[in-house]
Amino acid sequence: MQLYFVRHGRTQYNVEQRFQGGSADSPLVESGITGAKAAGKYLQRTQFSHVYSSPQGRALDTAKLITAENQWQPAITIDQRFSELDFGSWDGQLEQDVTPKDQLENVIHHPAAYQPELANGGETYAEFVARTTAAVHDAVAKAGVTNPQPVLIVSHGLVTTMTLKTLMGVPVSGLRAPFVVDGKVLNTVGHGIVDNDSLTIVETHDNVNFQLLTWNQTSYLTE
């Protein structure tokens, strides 16, 4: 079966370069709304077995805009486990303003060394990907690995990027490193994540091994 991952549309905090994790939210800006609608139109003839969304407003609003374009008008199931990485007290702050700087360096470049208890009180990368990958495995199990109808998951940049890396065997220490598949470095934005309103597709036949089919597709945003 296939899983379609869409990152939420661009938000005000994205524009302002603020931390926007599991305990922060900001509204979609105009380009984020337009992009979500474009993703919906691109997927309008795809019949999903299930549609899941993070409970956070930016993701849920994106999911609603996508499903509104779909000819089957699928229902949305909210799963808390698809929330973004919780940055604790850093959430909502400008990236350039947070302290201590050594933990800021770690959260961006050295995930295994990141210790939120020394900085912001958020969650570790290991805790984060444990819950997100569990949510994916549960979604696959519910739909069934032989289901011809894909599952749609609308969430966040780190959720999509780090979850798929983990499912494909990347350890926590490598989650912020360039993503190399079949000898090719895959394109990312910002600090190594997928684009707003982008589509990434993976396939699994056993809920254990996952193969990347499409990565960070945004062609429909400019059509």
Side-chain angles (χ1 to χ4, degrees):
M1 72 159 302
Q2 296 182 356
L3 298 110
Y4 287 44
F5 289 81
V6 176
R7 183 189 174 193
H8 65 77
R10 188 168 175 81
T11 69
Q12 188 60 40
Y13 277 9
N14 290 149
V15 174
E16 296 174 3
Q17 296 187 327
R18 293 180 182 272
F19 273 94
Q20 188 175 218
S23 56
D25 220 343
S26 66
L28 299 178
V29 296
E30 184 176 354
S31 63
I33 294 171
T34 301
K37 290 179 179 179
K41 289 178 181 177
Y42 182 74
L43 299 171
Q44 64 184 347
R45 294 183 179 85
T46 302
Q47 185 174 8
F48 296 104
S49 60
H50 296 86
V51 176
Y52 294 92
S53 174
S54 157
Q56 295 179 262
R58 58 192 184 273
L60 186 54
D61 287 346
T62 300
K64 289 176 179 177
L65 289 167
I66 291 172
T67 56
E69 300 287 345
N70 193 276
Q71 71 179 72
W72 282 277
Q73 297 285 291
I76 300 169
T77 299
I78 295 173
D79 191 325
Q80 297 280 347
R81 295 174 295 176
F82 288 124
S83 296
E84 186 60 294
L85 173 65
D86 188 353
F87 292 110
S89 62
W90 283 359
D91 267 333
Q93 294 190 51
L94 292 170
E95 294 179 13
Q96 65 187 25
D97 291 345
V98 301
T99 57
K101 296 303 182 185
D102 62 333
Q103 291 304 318
L104 175 62
E105 173 73 10
N106 287 341
V107 79
I108 295 174
H109 299 293
H110 310 291
Y114 173 53
Q115 296 178 274
E117 69 274 14
L118 301 181
N120 52 13
E123 63 185 329
T124 66
Y125 277 93
E127 293 167 337
F128 171 58
V129 295
R131 66 168 166 85
T132 62
T133 55
V136 170
H137 287 305
D138 286 350
V140 172
K142 183 172 183 178
V145 292
T146 61
N147 197 325
Q149 297 175 353
V151 168
L152 172 63
I153 298 170
V154 183
S155 60
H156 307 269
L158 289 173
V159 173
T160 297
T161 308
M162 306 311 171
T163 301
L164 295 187
K165 282 186 171 183
T166 302
L167 291 171
M168 294 180 66
V170 176
V172 169
S173 60
L175 290 179
R176 285 289 193 173
F179 194 16
V180 181
V181 176
D182 296 331
K184 179 182 178 181
V185 177
L186 303 185
N187 66 302
T188 57
V189 298
H191 301 303
I193 61 176
V194 294
D195 282 273
N196 292 109
D197 290 313
S198 64
L199 172 64
T200 295
I201 304 173
V202 296
E203 185 173 51
T204 182
H205 299 290
D206 56 10
N207 206 6
V208 176
N209 301 289
F210 292 79
Q211 178 184 5
L212 185 66
L213 302 181
T214 300
W215 173 258
N216 198 21
Q217 181 181 351
T218 58
S219 57
Y220 48 82
L221 299 180
T222 55
E223 290 176 353

